[in-house]
């Protein structure tokens, strides 16, 4: 009886130790309609450039990744409240956001663009005069359109909740063009023929993972990103999603410190 009790106690200890060794979970918020950065495949699973980046980061932290499906605007409240640990969705680092959120080092440099129909006569920003431009709500494209509306005489700015709806309206002639992030539009155009890049807009945008202000894992996440840039992992992820290696000296390959609010 004593021997059986000893064995039972040992089994319970092993079981408890196994449970105790279970990896912690890193909860990542992501907008599900933002290819190639993040989107849901036909099986309802998240994939994309930033999903691959996040999965590798979390793996290097010895944690398990859980992805929370959220609208773009909801990501900011979710990180601030601590409901999620981090957020990705081609989120640009800027000083306004750095006042209330923390960001890792950037891992992608992007320009903005105006996309339109192949037959469009828009060839410069000045050609946007009296035109109707679509944007996805709360994105940097929306911010750019509002800030430059008067400068270029843009007739109307129409807001959308999903990029695909915007592009369909461009293709069908309901609006004259769409303002947004270059790589996202380029990827989406492979799925929506009949469109072209009309104007490229240098913006200095840099994408990174957003986290709660001074999150305890921020430094570790940033260190993992540095390792991924140094060992070629980030280059491989870029080639997978864009078909080419990243441009030298961009943030995809160049490690940097955590961005600070000014």
């Amino acid at each position: 009886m004593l021997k059986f009790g000893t064995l039972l106690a040992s089994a319970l200890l092993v079981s408890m130790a196994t449970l105790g060794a279970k990896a912690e979970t890193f909860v990542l918020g992501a907008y599900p309609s933002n290819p190639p950065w993040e989107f849901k495949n036909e099986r309802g699973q998240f994939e994309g450039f930033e999903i691959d980046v996040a999965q590798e980061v979390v793996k290097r932290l010895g944690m398990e990744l859980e992805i929370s499906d959220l609208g773009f605007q909801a990501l900011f409240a979710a990180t601030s409240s601590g409901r999620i640990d981090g957020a990705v969705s081609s989120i640009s680092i800027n000083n306004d956001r750095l006042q209330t959120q923390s960001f890792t080092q950037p891992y992608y440099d992007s320009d903005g663009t105006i996309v339109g129909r192949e037959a469009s006569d828009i060839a410069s920003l000045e050609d946007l005069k009296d035109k109707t431009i679509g944007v996805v709500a709360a994105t940097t494209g929306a911010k750019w359109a509002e800030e430059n509306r008067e400068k270029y005489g843009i007739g109307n700015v129409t807001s959308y909740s999903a990029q695909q709806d915007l592009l369909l309206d461009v293709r069908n002639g309901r609006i004259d063009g769409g303002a947004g992030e270059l790589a996202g539009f380029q990827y989406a155009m492979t799925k929506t023929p009949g469109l072209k890049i009309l104007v490229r807009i240098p913006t200095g945008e840099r994408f990174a993972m957003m986290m709660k202000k001074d999150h305890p894992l921020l430094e570790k996440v940033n260190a993992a990103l540095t390792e991924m840039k140094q060992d070629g992992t980030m280059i491989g992820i870029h080639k997978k999603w864009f078909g080419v290696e990243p441009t030298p000296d961009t943030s995809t390959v160049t490690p940097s410190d955590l961005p600070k609010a000014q």
Side-chain angles (χ1 to χ4, degrees):
M1 180 65 73
L2 182 60
K3 183 177 180 181
F4 175 78
T6 301
L7 290 173
L8 180 60
S10 298
L12 286 171
L13 286 172
V14 171
S15 178
M16 290 173 67
T18 302
L19 289 172
K22 183 178 180 182
E24 292 183 54
T25 300
F26 186 100
V27 183
L28 181 78
Y31 172 54
S33 303
N34 188 37
W37 309 110
E38 44 277 314
F39 60 97
K40 285 188 174 181
N41 58 29
E42 63 277 1
R43 300 182 302 279
Q45 300 170 329
F46 268 99
E47 59 180 78
F49 178 92
E50 289 183 295
I51 299 301
D52 283 359
V53 170
Q55 286 175 333
E56 182 63 25
V57 165
V58 172
K59 177 182 175 182
R60 293 181 186 221
L61 266 56
M63 301 177 72
E64 294 182 352
L65 181 65
E66 176 184 320
I67 304 178
S68 181
D69 180 335
L70 294 170
F72 185 80
Q73 292 171 287
L75 294 171
F76 297 86
T79 50
S80 293
S81 67
R83 176 184 166 193
I84 59 178
D85 295 299
V88 294
S89 285
S90 55
I91 306 173
S92 296
I93 306 168
N94 63 45
N95 196 51
D96 287 344
R97 290 171 176 170
L98 283 169
Q99 304 302 318
T100 56
Q101 310 275 358
S102 285
F103 281 84
T104 67
Q105 63 179 289
Y107 43 69
Y108 190 86
D109 300 338
S110 178
D111 282 337
T113 189
I114 304 296
V115 64
R117 295 182 301 281
E118 289 181 342
S120 175
D121 58 359
I122 296 174
S124 69
L125 295 176
E126 287 70 25
D127 294 333
L128 297 179
K129 182 175 174 60
D130 298 326
K131 298 294 194 297
T132 297
I133 298 299
V135 298
V136 177
T139 63
T140 52
K143 186 174 186 288
W144 180 90
E146 289 298 339
E147 289 179 348
N148 291 276
R149 186 172 185 169
E150 184 175 345
K151 178 179 179 179
Y152 295 111
I154 298 172
N156 294 290
V157 176
T158 302
S159 182
Y160 293 81
S161 59
Q163 179 177 265
Q164 187 62 24
D165 294 336
L166 183 158
L167 292 176
L168 287 174
D169 274 6
V170 171
R171 188 179 68 177
N172 294 331
R174 297 189 184 98
I175 58 177
D176 298 297
E181 184 270 320
L182 177 65
F185 274 152
Q186 285 180 320
Y187 179 85
M189 285 163 56
T190 65
K191 314 294 182 182
T192 309
L195 302 175
K196 69 176 182 179
I197 299 299
L198 304 178
V199 186
R200 185 164 181 152
I201 308 168
T203 63
E205 285 185 82
R206 299 173 304 152
F207 299 157
M209 183 184 295
M210 182 173 69
M211 302 179 72
K212 183 177 181 178
K213 193 72 172 176
D214 300 322
H215 192 290
L217 290 174
L218 179 63
E219 293 280 358
K220 291 183 178 181
V221 171
N222 203 62
L225 288 169
T226 293
E227 291 175 358
M228 291 165 63
K229 293 177 182 184
Q230 292 174 335
D231 66 19
T233 302
M234 197 71 77
I235 292 175
I237 294 173
H238 190 282
K239 288 179 68 175
K240 173 183 174 180
W241 290 101
F242 298 103
V244 296
E245 290 193 2
T247 303
D249 300 324
T250 61
S251 64
T252 308
V253 293
T254 304
S256 60
D257 295 329
L258 291 169
K260 303 295 185 182
Q262 301 300 314

